[in-house]
Structure formats: structure tokens, C-alpha cells
Amino acid sequence: MTDITKKDGEPVMDQAIRLVVEWDGRAYVARSVERVAMRVPGVSRFERREAGSGRFVEVRGEDGALLHRHAIDERLPQGMSYPTGDPNRPTADAALKPGMTFSILVPAHPKAAVLALVEVRGRPKDKKGAPKGAAPAGDELLLVSLEGGGK
């Protein structure tokens, strides 16, 4: 059972969901989704950019309600840095190539039904008729359904 005791106003859970994503050259593709026994920190004050722009991973409920949002700009790269082994130039950059994968960890919220990778540009507009707590408007880069409503 997931422990959702509050710490500093944020739920702390004993399980996380690990999403492995691959860039196939055109789009992001989910390669695996699994529950893991580990705690994932909540969102820090620095990361509270709900009204800002950027790339985010969202945990949504069955009704579309936003349960968790975490900035992941650095995890959805346009390119990758890698070590060169040269002390004069410790890292170099390379374009993101098809087949590159990365992992994202989010809290395994008991009401989780969907994981979404979204890109928000500018201030999100209010959605008329959207359920309270629904995710702000943004370009959805990837949607992953969690069977059983995240249970």
C-alpha cells in the first residue's frame, strides 16, 4: 500500500512509477512503465512553475485532474552531453539520436491513471468546462495510460 503521509504539505509515497522513454527520431515513445519501491521527492518551491512555461511530466487522474507535476526540461533534451576523457574539454555535446533513452520517476499516486509529457509555452489559458485541477493547456508530447487507475 502506498504511504501518502504529508511532509511539508506534499505527499510522501513509498512507491514510484518509472517511465522509460525513447526518442525514435520523430517522437517520444514509452518503452516501459513499472512501479518501483522507492520514495520520490515532492515538488520543491523552486520547481513550482505551474503557470510558467517548460517541459513537465504530469500524473493525472481518470478525470484528467492534475495530481503531480514536475519540471523535466533537462530530461527531454534536444541533445546530450557526454564525457570526452580530455581534461581540457571534459564534456562535449551531441544531437539527440534515434534510439536514445532516458528514465523519469514520479510518485505512484493512488489515483494515478495517466502519465503525460507536456510542453507549455507561455502562460497556460484557463480551460472552460475543465474539471477542477485539470492540467493546463500545453502540447502533449506523450501520453501513457496506467492500467487499473494506478493501483
Side-chain angles (χ1 to χ4, degrees):
M1 186 164 147
T2 303
D3 175 17
I4 56 171
T5 56
K6 297 273 186 174
K7 181 180 179 186
D8 299 327
E10 292 293 327
V12 176
M13 298 177 214
D14 289 332
Q15 287 190 351
I17 299 171
R18 178 179 18 227
L19 171 63
V20 177
V21 178
E22 179 181 339
W23 173 251
D24 74 359
R26 294 171 292 144
Y28 296 102
V29 179
R31 290 297 173 212
S32 69
V33 179
E34 66 180 336
R35 289 184 177 274
V36 292
M38 75 182 289
R39 284 193 173 182
V40 178
V43 180
S44 72
R45 286 189 190 106
F46 178 74
E47 293 170 327
R48 290 186 189 277
R49 301 181 345 194
E50 290 87 359
S53 61
R55 292 178 175 181
F56 302 88
V57 61
E58 296 179 344
V59 179
R60 299 177 185 171
E62 288 183 18
D63 61 354
L66 183 61
L67 304 173
H68 177 84
R69 181 180 238 199
H70 187 78
I72 56 166
D73 294 319
E74 72 284 356
R75 291 183 194 95
L76 291 180
Q78 300 300 317
M80 300 290 277
S81 293
Y82 61 92
T84 64
D86 179 353
N88 295 323
R89 187 176 162 218
T91 62
D93 294 324
L96 191 60
K97 295 180 181 173
M100 294 187 87
T101 61
F102 55 94
S103 297
I104 299 171
L105 290 164
V106 296
H109 195 287
K111 295 182 180 179
V114 174
L115 296 182
L117 300 184
V118 298
E119 183 170 25
V120 178
R121 295 182 184 103
R123 285 181 113 19
K125 307 269 188 227
D126 288 336
K127 291 186 194 176
K128 299 230 182 228
K132 186 175 181 178
D139 294 330
E140 292 176 337
L141 305 174
L142 177 65
L143 289 176
V144 179
S145 177
L146 302 172
E147 291 190 26
K151 295 187 168 111

